[in-house]
Amino acid sequence: MEQVEVPLTITIMLPRWHRPADVDAALAEQWDAFLASLRLHEEGHRSLAMEAGREIIRALRSMRTLSCSSMEAEANRKAGAILDRYREHNRQYDRDTGHGRRQGAVWPPRERG
């Protein structure tokens, strides 16, 4: 293959809070900490997606000596295997982080004391 492109669109959706003017400062601070932790967690998923895309590019660029008729099927097989592996990486990331809880992405915040 002479030219390999892997289109990748990543959308991270985060909750939005329209703060009342008289909101308690401690609550606003807790929200900001939660949102930062959630963003950190979701950026971990984003990084895995970017790694998967780069790995697919490397795999497709390394393809040699296949006939044109079999190249598409082989490219799809390789890319599919990589995507399957990265789906498992994402599941493991969620298990390791408790779906972000261990990174502080917990709402409502736990009572301390």
Side-chain angles (χ1 to χ4, degrees), residues 66-109:
L66 294 174
S67 68
C68 289
S69 61
S70 66
M71 188 171 281
E72 182 178 1
E74 181 63 11
N76 286 334
R77 187 196 64 73
K78 284 182 180 235
I82 291 166
L83 290 174
D84 287 346
R85 203 166 60 253
Y86 274 88
R87 282 186 196 95
E88 180 52 36
H89 288 324
N90 273 286
R91 285 189 290 269
Q92 186 61 51
Y93 174 68
D94 277 334
R95 285 190 295 269
D96 292 346
T97 65
H99 293 270
R101 288 185 300 279
R102 291 185 195 93
Q103 294 167 300
V106 176
W107 194 264

Side-chain angles (χ1 to χ4, degrees), residues 45-73:
H45 285 295
R46 178 184 176 279
S47 292
L48 287 168
M50 301 279 291
E51 287 176 28
R54 286 188 293 270
E55 189 171 328
I56 289 170
I57 288 171
R58 284 191 301 273
L60 297 183
R61 283 183 178 161
S62 70
M63 291 176 62
R64 301 283 184 263
T65 66
L66 294 174
S67 68
C68 289
S69 61
S70 66
M71 188 171 281
E72 182 178 1

Side-chain angles (χ1 to χ4, degrees), residues 6-25:
V6 175
L8 178 62
T9 301
I10 300 171
T11 303
I12 297 175
M13 296 178 64
L14 298 171
R16 185 178 306 151
W17 177 32
H18 299 284
R19 292 181 192 182
D22 61 345
V23 70
D24 179 70

